[in-house]
Amino acid sequence: MKRALFFILSLVSSTALAAPTHIYNIQGYTLNDKNELSRFSNIVFDGGKVIALGNEESARAYPQAQAIDGKSRVLMPGLIDAHGHILGLGGALLAVDVRGIPNAKAAAKKVRDYAQQSPDAGWILGGGWNQVLWPDKAFPTSAMLDEYVKDRPVWIRRIDGHAGWANSKALQIAGITKDTLDPPGGKIMRHKNGAPTGILIDNAMNMLVEKIPQDTEQQLKRKLDAASEHLLALGITSTHDAGINYATYEYYLKRSRELTLSLRIYAMIAATDPKLADMLKAGPIRDQYDYLSIRSVKVYGDGALGSRGAAMLAPYSDDHENIGLLLTPEKQLKPLFDLIIGSGFQLNIHEIGDRGNRLALDQFEETFSRIKGQHLRHRIEHAQVIDVSDIPRFKTLNIIPSMQPTHATSDMNMAQKRIGKNRLKGAYAWQTFEQQGSIVALGSDFPVELANPFFGIHAAVTRQNRDNQPENGWLKEEAVTVEQAFKGFTYNGAYAAHQEHVIGRLTPGKWADFILVDQDIFTINPQDIWKTKVLETWIGGVKRYDSAL
């Protein structure tokens, strides 16, 4: 029944609603036009947009409205995930998931089980492994996969997406041997004899990934629909898709024209796509119902901390010969920034290490001095480890830190080993950014992390994992308040997408995007925020998800 509701309503425009809708008897929360937290007990919407908000008296002007009893449930704006990978999530939901598997052998067995259940799959694809959580903390090898799957290529991405695990068949298809050179910005992990181990890091993955057949339109549909259904059930009404290729660009446009998108998508064009210039030339895209917006580009700066690919100013504390990787060479930044910003597009660059962040800030500053463009609200995606002297530059240059709270609680078991205690002073520094007045957009980076935004709010407020560890929170001084985290997943996400005038708050004139949940995150013990369940999700005044169905 949920699936039927999901697809039938996706064909219905909010403007088709015949009369206003009035939901009463609710515990409502939103940020008002002054960005202050305010409460309300009644909401009225028509034509997909909010027309009244307040107490019962404010709704009396609409006696013809269809009345719905909110049953004293908590209602708040739909949540915005400012950094995710929609088709990656859809693929993960449909492929083998080895997240949380206790060791490499168990992960390989799960791949075997999936392969046996999918006899028609040409490639066995999946992801979610994290060697840091395994007893030996060692990278797995192709031989471990070969033991269970030899006849078909296997490619299993690391949880952060910056490394992958291949079996020998996949390496053979990719032509990767002991004689293959490491590409710029990438690394082939090798045995002592030079033979590849099966682990490819960052740009080295491209040699294999390009051999995987491109998705058909039917496969794109399955992935998008699976991801959308999953996100709606979590209360996410809008998400920023961090890096789409031309095929996805075209497919999103098709679904937008058909009015069959079921949640709002703010898509970033992948800077690595060969047709980048063509997409920039086509100009920004915004459909009439604000379901699809494309006006930004995702640039790939450095790698990830877990695979020691984040670009650091000094060597890793646990790998003294390594300072990380630059996925986009430094000399390519200037022409790339000129092309994107010169085309009037927002530039959102992935940077995790302190060197990567500094290079990005330096290039923004240099570009602005020549061609301006600060008004485009450029972003640094992740902004995880930053030299403390560089943090104020985000505010000076009007750069938005787009950050993911659960990265901190996932990384806390290895971050200090990677970079030492001193460099943690500028790491995952949410409250420092808040105090200097930066607009901090929050997200999850799904499917790297789980997409549930209440996990993110919980991590942001407590600096703890869902076992409430460590007891006092990790780097507790950088925790934010519940209201700040709520703002990060609502208004700030909208602002980071140039959409604060249409979504992010429940005020008259904005789209009626809201959720009903089972507990009040503003009054409960913060340690319980992650347990919040979504009961209903509405977008543009249309119910897209109902837990009761």
Side-chain angles (χ1 to χ4, degrees), residues 207-221:
M207 295 184 286
L208 185 146
V209 171
E210 66 186 15
K211 302 297 183 181
I212 300 174
Q214 293 293 307
D215 285 334
T216 64
E217 185 171 311
Q218 182 60 28
Q219 289 170 322
L220 290 173
K221 182 179 187 306

Side-chain angles (χ1 to χ4, degrees), residues 185-246:
K187 184 175 183 179
I188 302 169
M189 298 293 288
R190 304 174 190 273
H191 295 293
K192 291 182 179 180
N193 65 0
T197 66
I199 297 298
L200 307 177
I201 296 176
D202 287 319
N203 285 353
M205 297 189 295
N206 297 339
M207 295 184 286
L208 185 146
V209 171
E210 66 186 15
K211 302 297 183 181
I212 300 174
Q214 293 293 307
D215 285 334
T216 64
E217 185 171 311
Q218 182 60 28
Q219 289 170 322
L220 290 173
K221 182 179 187 306
R222 289 183 66 223
K223 289 182 178 181
L224 177 57
D225 290 345
S228 299
E229 189 169 6
H230 182 76
L231 295 171
L232 288 168
L234 297 174
I236 295 172
T237 55
S238 175
T239 189
H240 302 179
D241 200 352
I244 64 168
N245 60 19
Y246 183 71

Side-chain angles (χ1 to χ4, degrees), residues 19-21 43-53 58 62 64-65 507-510 512:
T21 299
I43 183 172
V44 183
F45 48 93
D46 189 24
K49 294 187 176 182
V50 177
I51 57 175
L53 196 79
S58 65
Y62 306 94
Q64 77 279 24
T507 54
K510 294 182 176 60

Side-chain angles (χ1 to χ4, degrees), residues 240-444:
H240 302 179
D241 200 352
I244 64 168
N245 60 19
Y246 183 71
T248 304
Y249 173 93
E250 287 285 286
Y251 184 65
Y252 282 175
L253 286 174
K254 179 177 185 293
R255 292 288 293 263
S256 173
R257 289 191 296 267
E258 295 171 346
L259 301 179
T260 57
L261 290 174
S262 299
L263 81 168
R264 304 193 192 281
I265 298 174
Y266 183 75
M268 310 176 199
I269 298 167
T272 52
D273 193 279
K275 293 192 176 182
L276 170 62
D278 293 338
M279 290 182 275
L280 292 176
K281 188 176 180 179
I285 290 165
R286 175 189 173 191
D287 72 23
Q288 61 181 326
Y289 299 116
D290 293 309
Y291 270 85
L292 179 64
S293 178
I294 306 176
R295 58 173 300 172
S296 63
V297 176
K298 166 76 174 297
V299 176
Y300 301 86
D302 65 354
L305 200 62
S307 52
R308 299 184 185 86
M312 305 303 298
L313 293 168
Y316 279 84
S317 298
D318 60 354
D319 187 353
H320 300 303
E321 302 299 320
N322 184 10
I323 59 170
L325 299 168
L326 293 176
L327 276 64
T328 300
E330 184 177 352
K331 65 181 180 180
Q332 292 182 14
L333 290 179
K334 181 177 178 178
L336 195 55
F337 275 53
D338 283 1
L339 173 64
I340 295 165
I341 297 175
S343 298
F345 275 65
Q346 178 192 58
L347 191 154
N348 304 334
I349 184 166
H350 165 119
E351 299 290 5
I352 288 179
D354 52 13
R355 180 178 177 226
N357 277 277
R358 180 170 292 178
L359 287 174
L361 291 167
D362 287 348
Q363 190 56 59
F364 277 123
E365 185 172 12
E366 193 277 336
T367 301
F368 295 159
S369 72
R370 290 183 295 101
I371 65 173
K372 309 302 181 187
Q374 279 183 277
H375 66 286
L376 294 170
R377 302 181 188 177
H378 307 291
R379 297 159 47 168
I380 290 184
E381 303 298 315
H382 310 307
Q384 277 186 18
V385 181
I386 305 167
D387 187 280
V388 292
S389 66
D390 285 327
I391 291 178
R393 300 177 68 196
F394 280 76
K395 179 65 174 175
T396 303
L397 295 170
N398 194 32
I399 304 300
I400 296 170
S402 173
M403 308 172 84
Q404 299 77 46
T406 52
H407 277 332
T409 51
S410 292
D411 292 355
M412 64 186 180
N413 65 327
M414 60 83 180
Q416 186 165 330
K417 293 178 182 178
R418 290 285 188 273
I419 62 174
K421 188 174 182 179
N422 286 338
R423 285 186 281 190
L424 288 178
K425 294 176 182 177
Y428 315 91
W430 314 322
Q431 189 58 252
T432 298
F433 277 114
E434 288 280 352
Q435 290 302 310
Q436 73 177 19
S438 290
I439 301 292
V440 183
L442 298 180
S444 66

Side-chain angles (χ1 to χ4, degrees), residues 151-183:
D151 59 329
R152 287 180 285 172
V154 177
W155 176 241
I156 312 296
R157 285 183 178 266
R158 190 180 186 277
I159 192 167
D160 60 10
H162 285 266
W165 178 21
N167 70 348
S168 294
K169 184 72 172 180
L171 292 175
Q172 178 187 352
I173 291 173
I176 298 173
T177 69
K178 67 178 181 179
D179 298 319
T180 305
L181 299 177
D182 289 350

Side-chain angles (χ1 to χ4, degrees), residues 102-103 131-138:
N103 55 61
Q131 86 287 355
V132 173
L133 302 179
W134 294 342
D136 60 5
K137 302 189 185 302

